[in-house]
Amino acid sequence: MSKNLTVHARTGTAGAVIELTGELDYHTAPQFRAALPGIGLEAGQQLVVDLTGLTFLDSTGLTVLIAARNLALASDATIALAAVPDRVSRIMRALGLNQFFPTHPTAQEANAAWRSAQS
């Protein structure tokens, strides 16, 4: 049985920032997926998914991260991951997903990188 997942959405300088705390798995992924349509992502913005508080990720969690990327692309926006735990980073590299998700140590650094790219 999984622990709870907390999904907190806020607006950052580049666009939406979604902070995930807890376990992102088969039982909690629908909660994250349900939050995606309401973030108000616009063309040219960046969606940052902050994984600072993530304690577990399974294949269903990876699937919903891909869904978040697809939403960003459909909105003509970009996506970046922040504070990716080492174990999640290893999985993403093994699956080749690191090619599709730019990563940054913090959400603030993801926003700074986005601003630099816009200049």
Side-chain angles (χ1 to χ4, degrees):
M1 190 110 194
S2 67
K3 296 180 182 175
N4 291 333
L5 176 72
T6 301
V7 179
H8 179 260
R10 62 180 172 85
T11 303
T13 56
V17 177
I18 298 179
E19 299 167 352
L20 301 178
T21 304
E23 296 186 0
L24 181 56
D25 62 13
Y26 175 79
H27 299 285
T28 61
Q31 183 181 350
F32 178 34
R33 187 181 296 271
L36 291 174
I39 61 172
L41 195 59
E42 297 179 10
Q45 291 185 326
Q46 174 177 254
L47 168 60
V48 177
V49 182
D50 187 343
L51 305 178
T52 300
L54 194 72
T55 58
F56 180 79
L57 178 80
D58 72 1
S59 61
T60 306
L62 285 172
T63 300
V64 77
L65 285 175
I66 293 168
R69 179 181 182 273
N70 291 342
L71 172 73
L73 294 178
S75 300
D76 200 23
T78 61
I79 188 169
L81 302 179
V84 180
D86 288 340
R87 63 193 172 283
V88 174
S89 184
R90 283 192 304 271
I91 293 167
M92 293 185 76
R93 279 193 311 272
L95 296 173
L97 293 174
N98 59 319
Q99 298 176 48
F100 303 102
F101 290 95
T103 60
H104 303 275
T106 66
Q108 293 79 10
E109 291 181 60
N111 284 328
W114 176 85
R115 281 193 304 276
S116 294
Q118 300 303 306
S119 301

